Amino acid sequence: MTDKIHIADWKRGLVFSFISYSMLLFVIIVLTVFWMRDFDFAVVSRIVGAYMGVVIVLLAVAGLVFKRRLSVQ
């Protein structure tokens, strides 16, 4: 009944990295909204799209590197 799901340490690290980068994105959005003194959906969506696009691509590359490096050992 109490089966534990085993996730590799490097995958868990990538998940925590994604969560921390998402929190940083929230701070960037809050600072941008306060700086502009108004919520502009177009600006915020461009920031989110560019930021998350870069984060997802870099985390995917890191995942491939970790997978290849750790599967050899």
Side-chain angles (χ1 to χ4, degrees):
M1 275 276 153
T2 59
D3 295 329
K4 290 188 176 182
I5 298 173
H6 179 68
I7 299 174
D9 289 336
W10 62 271
K11 288 182 183 179
R12 191 175 306 134
L14 289 177
V15 169
F16 287 132
S17 294
F18 182 77
I19 292 169
S20 64
Y21 287 133
S22 298
M23 288 188 292
L24 179 62
L25 175 63
F26 177 74
V27 171
I28 291 170
I29 290 171
V30 168
L31 292 175
T32 303
V33 169
F34 278 120
W35 179 65
M36 291 174 38
R37 295 190 176 137
D38 189 25
F39 181 79
D40 187 4
F41 183 76
V43 172
V44 171
S45 63
R46 280 184 259 157
I47 291 171
V48 170
Y51 184 87
M52 289 309 269
V54 170
V55 167
I56 289 171
V57 167
L58 291 178
L59 286 177
V61 169
L64 290 174
V65 169
F66 287 143
K67 188 174 183 178
R68 285 187 183 170
R69 293 280 184 178
L70 296 176
S71 67
V72 172
Q73 297 176 352

